[in-house]
Amino acid sequence: ETALDTSVAYAKERFTFGRAIGSYQAVKHSLTEVLRELENGRSLLYYAGWARQGAPQEFPLAASAARSATSRSRTRRRRSSTCPSRSSPPRGISRRR
């Protein structure tokens, strides 16, 4: 959550071509996806906590769903930070005429 807050603040203060980078659609979508994954994981964790107390028969499924959602988003973030997106050109390659 802190990383998301820091990223949003940076997107608001960093300018390129006279506009804040947070105003670009690609940046908005990336930050929104991180927020969605964060909220989804948090909701599933709350559900697992409730199931542990109130519905023990649902707890194994709830805990599994929470673990899957949180590990999937963590893996996706790790992968995206080490691999450039497919839409960006490889670094070090420029157009020459």
Side-chain angles (χ1 to χ4, degrees), residues 4 27-37:
L4 177 62
V27 175
K28 287 180 188 178
H29 286 202
S30 296
L31 293 173
T32 302
E33 182 65 18
V34 172
L35 177 63
R36 186 195 61 77
E37 289 176 352

Side-chain angles (χ1 to χ4, degrees), residues 10-24 27:
Y10 180 76
K12 288 178 181 178
E13 71 183 32
R14 173 86 163 106
F15 281 80
T16 183
F17 302 112
R19 292 173 53 188
I21 63 170
S23 68
Y24 293 105
V27 175

Side-chain angles (χ1 to χ4, degrees), residues 35-55:
L35 177 63
R36 186 195 61 77
E37 289 176 352
L38 180 68
E39 292 296 325
N40 187 33
R42 181 180 292 142
S43 176
L44 287 168
L45 284 171
Y46 289 155
Y47 173 63
W50 170 83
R52 176 91 169 126
Q53 295 293 320

Side-chain angles (χ1 to χ4, degrees), residues 34-90:
V34 172
L35 177 63
R36 186 195 61 77
E37 289 176 352
L38 180 68
E39 292 296 325
N40 187 33
R42 181 180 292 142
S43 176
L44 287 168
L45 284 171
Y46 289 155
Y47 173 63
W50 170 83
R52 176 91 169 126
Q53 295 293 320
Q57 70 279 7
E58 294 182 26
F59 177 68
L61 179 62
S64 179
R67 181 176 183 198
S68 175
T70 55
S71 66
R72 195 175 39 230
S73 65
R74 185 173 44 242
T75 302
R76 187 174 300 126
R77 282 193 303 272
R78 189 177 311 125
R79 191 178 314 127
S80 67
S81 67
T82 58
C83 300
S85 68
R86 294 181 195 177
S87 62
S88 65

